[in-house]
Amino acid sequence: MGNQIIRAAHWLAWAMDYPDDIRLVNLAFWPYASSFQGTVDWPGCAYPSAIKGLDDLARLRSHLPGWFLDKAERRFQHLVHAVGAVLPGMQRLDDCPDGAAGINLDGDDFYQRVVLKRVTTCAGWNITGWSRVRHHQNELRAFFRPHNPVAAKAAAFVAGLRERCDRVVGVFIRQGDYMTWQGGRFGFSTLHYVRWMRQVLDIESGHRVCFLITSDTWQDPGQFAGLPYVFSNGSKNAGGSAITSFAEMSECDLILTPPSTFSSAAAFVGKCPLWPVVRPDQSLSSDQIEHNVLLDEAISSKGWF
């Protein structure tokens, strides 16, 4: 979900600069449309205005079995992209044609290529427009705010935590795919997170801290004994959903996390600083905190997002 939010943010920021000339349809965001304010009523993910037939087609997703949906949806996306290469009045653009560095949405070059045809299909991950994201950051935050009642419940839950503490620090424990991704580079053990949480308490000794833990795997509560914590309603321990974890993290004052598009997108939406943990022997210090997630090019260049 984090990957798709960030990619959609680049596309939207670009489309926002050409509202009279461009109609953007993001098929890849259909699985997440019902979770966000900007798309909950427009499941076809068209911008700047909805396409009724597309919305109706997207709504059919809820009636399809999961085992069928994943394969069918990907094949549908591939088919639409492939059609762009063969039908008159259309063109197909890929993110890395002929070994190029990707598609840069920041200048006018891509727009000039798109307007040559009535319809352009485009696919890939290496498509960015950081300056446009920065320019439209407030509109994007509103667009990717989790829809009500999820957002309202998350705000109320975190507000309740603040009644007994000064700072709510979100802790994102990602141990599912991260135990193997890039050779387990960011697959830290729970004991690593416990050690970092204790370091946060030392650094924030002048504040009453409460940790809000969300994890993609079940955690033994005993490992957090002696720490002021609660599990997120979206964590595996609470049997919740990813969008609930996303909403609650976005309400935190700080997020302790390995490099992840999921937690980074939540931090962006909530204008929340990020405290990245990048190696198991890392000792935390306050100068490691990143305050402009997704907006600082120096952060983006690290390849975390």
Side-chain angles (χ1 to χ4, degrees):
M1 185 170 76
N3 288 334
Q4 292 295 352
I5 291 172
I6 293 173
R7 197 57 50 227
H10 286 283
W11 278 119
L12 276 168
W14 174 75
M16 286 174 180
D17 283 336
Y18 305 101
D20 298 326
D21 304 324
I22 297 295
R23 173 73 65 86
L24 175 70
V25 176
N26 190 344
L27 299 179
F29 207 72
W30 281 16
Y32 314 100
S34 62
S35 296
F36 296 95
Q37 199 65 40
T39 50
V40 64
D41 295 323
W42 295 1
C45 300
Y47 181 90
S49 58
I51 302 174
K52 185 182 184 304
L54 204 62
D55 286 344
D56 292 340
L57 181 61
R59 288 189 180 98
L60 290 176
R61 297 184 70 262
S62 62
H63 302 291
L64 297 175
W67 62 266
F68 171 79
L69 183 59
D70 184 52
K71 290 183 179 179
E73 202 156 43
R74 292 184 182 182
R75 288 177 179 173
F76 174 62
Q77 293 171 9
H78 292 161
L79 175 62
V80 171
H81 187 45
V83 163
V86 296
L87 291 186
M90 297 182 65
Q91 63 178 332
R92 166 179 166 165
L93 300 178
D94 294 290
D95 62 342
C96 293
D98 303 321
I103 290 176
N104 183 358
L105 301 176
D106 277 335
D108 290 328
D109 292 349
F110 184 72
Y111 170 79
Q112 296 299 333
R113 295 172 65 188
V114 165
V115 295
L116 293 175
K117 299 288 185 177
R118 185 172 180 272
V119 176
T120 298
T121 64
C122 194
W125 291 108
N126 196 12
I127 301 170
T128 57
W130 292 110
S131 68
R132 295 186 194 272
V133 170
R134 189 179 303 109
H135 179 70
H136 293 288
Q137 58 181 286
N138 292 330
E139 298 143 282
L140 293 171
R141 287 191 177 98
F143 192 97
F144 291 109
R145 181 177 181 267
H147 75 92
N148 284 322
V150 172
K153 288 181 179 178
F157 179 70
V158 176
L161 298 180
R162 287 201 176 93
E163 292 179 359
R164 64 176 190 262
C165 68
D166 302 317
R167 289 172 66 77
V168 179
V169 177
V171 179
F172 181 41
I173 300 177
R174 186 165 176 173
Q175 293 176 330
D177 58 337
Y178 268 26
M179 303 310 287
T180 56
W181 183 67
Q182 289 195 4
R185 179 184 178 188
F186 301 123
F188 307 123
S189 72
T190 302
L191 291 178
H192 284 113
Y193 287 97
V194 168
R195 179 168 61 84
W196 287 321
M197 291 164 70
R198 296 193 184 282
Q199 290 178 18
V200 171
L201 290 179
D202 290 339
I203 294 170
E204 296 284 341
S205 58
H207 299 96
R208 295 173 303 161
V209 172
C210 177
F211 295 105
L212 177 60
I213 301 173
T214 191
S215 173
D216 64 347
T217 57
W218 188 86
Q219 298 293 324
D220 177 6
Q223 297 210 62
F224 303 98
L227 290 169
Y229 81 94
V230 296
F231 284 113
S232 163
N233 292 305
S235 68
K236 282 290 185 181
N237 286 62
S241 62
I243 189 59
T244 299
S245 287
F246 183 93
E248 291 181 357
M249 280 198 298
S250 71
E251 294 287 340
C252 291
D253 300 301
L254 181 68
I255 300 175
L256 180 74
T257 175
S260 167
T261 55
F262 183 82
S263 52
S264 299
F268 170 73
V269 168
K271 298 183 72 172
C272 175
L274 206 71
W275 204 332
V277 287
V278 298
R279 61 181 189 278
D281 62 346
Q282 179 176 339
S283 293
L284 300 187
S285 60
S286 56
D287 61 357
Q288 298 166 352
I289 297 173
E290 308 285 8
H291 293 275
N292 297 304
V293 179
L294 301 190
L295 304 177
D296 189 329
E297 291 182 3
I299 301 173
S300 304
S301 67
K302 295 176 182 178
W304 297 347
F305 317 127

